[in-house]
């Protein structure tokens, strides 16, 4: 199963350790994460060698090729919001994770497309449980 | 012509004065802005009386009813990103405005749907010129 992981890039990189944790966990359970770069420290430098259109096309195509999307939405990001909508339009189940107490968007929390689920987490154990529950339903 | 204005709500409210300026300008040119509430100081309190689903449905429907979308994307926001994608999928022209020097998303800058335009602005005069150019093309 191919998972597109979405996390903030230009919106702010403060949650890179959480993005890394999520990707490592998914890989340890033998899922393929097609957007591992989201957690890469030097990503901005890599993307600087690509045109904006190349980045857009790559991400949009990866969402379309994926079986589902896991998004960390604690750090607000235009790109992540765009990707969640793009995934829902392509009928991909999307799991949106956010730190308990943070301000998640109504476009996610109140989403009625039937493809978007949002869950708060308070610790890593809970984060893992939420991901497994979502992924096990999918298999 | 009905314009949906998109600006950050839960992502951060620091640009309310700019949102107000944009909405006031559009109204002064006789455009109808169907999401004027985005610039309202007490919006969080109003939305607290609605369910998340009601907020989602209202915004998604308003985007669909609009003739075009003007989005201020300087403050990162999951909701604004979602709305830009939703608008593009419904074939609505979207103008994304951002302060020159801020980090606009590649999902907007590199967007190849044909519906999304992004423009930086350095001052209010430029902001007005960009909006007029976009809107005049539409008429």
């Amino acid at each position: 199963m191919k998972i597109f992981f979405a996390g903030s890039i230009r919106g702010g990189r403060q949650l890179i350790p959480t993005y890394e944790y999520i990707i490592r966990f998914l890989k340890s359970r033998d899922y393929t994460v097609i957007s591992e770069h989201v957690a890469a420290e030097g990503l901005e430098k890599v993307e600087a060698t690509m045109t904006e259109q190349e980045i857009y096309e790559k991400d949009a195509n990866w969402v379309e090729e994926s079986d589902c999307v896991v998004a960390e939405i604690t750090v607000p990001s235009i790109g992540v919001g765009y990707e969640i909508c793009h995934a829902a339009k392509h009928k991909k189940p999307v799991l949106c994770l956010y730190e308990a107490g943070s301000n998640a968007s109504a476009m996610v929390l109140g989403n009625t497309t039937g493809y978007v689920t949002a869950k708060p987490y308070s610790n890593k154990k809970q984060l893992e449980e939420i991901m497994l529950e979502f992924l096990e339903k999918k298999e």
Side-chain angles (χ1 to χ4, degrees), chain A residues 4 56-57 59-69 82-94 111 113-116 138:
Chain A
F4 181 88
Y56 171 83
E57 292 282 2
D59 283 5
N61 289 337
W62 272 349
V63 167
E64 291 164 36
E65 283 165 23
S66 73
D67 297 300
C68 65
V69 173
Y82 194 101
E83 288 158 358
I84 292 168
C85 173
H86 188 66
K89 303 283 179 190
H90 285 269
K91 304 189 190 303
K92 309 290 179 184
V94 183
N111 199 286
T113 60
Y115 295 102
V116 180
K138 282 223 67 262

Side-chain angles (χ1 to χ4, degrees), chain A residues 10 47-59:
Chain A
R10 297 185 194 168
E47 289 202 339
T49 67
M50 300 170 69
T51 67
E52 299 291 341
Q53 287 198 1
E54 283 167 351
I55 301 171
Y56 171 83
E57 292 282 2
K58 169 180 63 73
D59 283 5

Side-chain angles (χ1 to χ4, degrees), chain A residues 39 41 61 67 73 84 98 108 116 123 126:
Chain A
E41 286 283 353
N61 289 337
D67 297 300
I73 62 163
I84 292 168
Y98 58 100
V108 166
V116 180
N123 52 56
Q126 213 176 4

Side-chain angles (χ1 to χ4, degrees), chain A residues 26-81:
Chain A
L26 293 172
K27 288 171 72 181
S28 77
R29 297 292 174 130
D30 286 334
Y31 294 109
T32 302
V33 180
I34 48 177
S35 55
E36 256 190 85
H37 68 292
V38 174
E41 286 283 353
L43 176 60
E44 292 86 344
K45 281 179 201 159
V46 176
E47 289 202 339
T49 67
M50 300 170 69
T51 67
E52 299 291 341
Q53 287 198 1
E54 283 167 351
I55 301 171
Y56 171 83
E57 292 282 2
K58 169 180 63 73
D59 283 5
N61 289 337
W62 272 349
V63 167
E64 291 164 36
E65 283 165 23
S66 73
D67 297 300
C68 65
V69 173
V70 173
E72 213 296 344
I73 62 163
T74 306
V75 178
S77 156
I78 297 277
V80 173

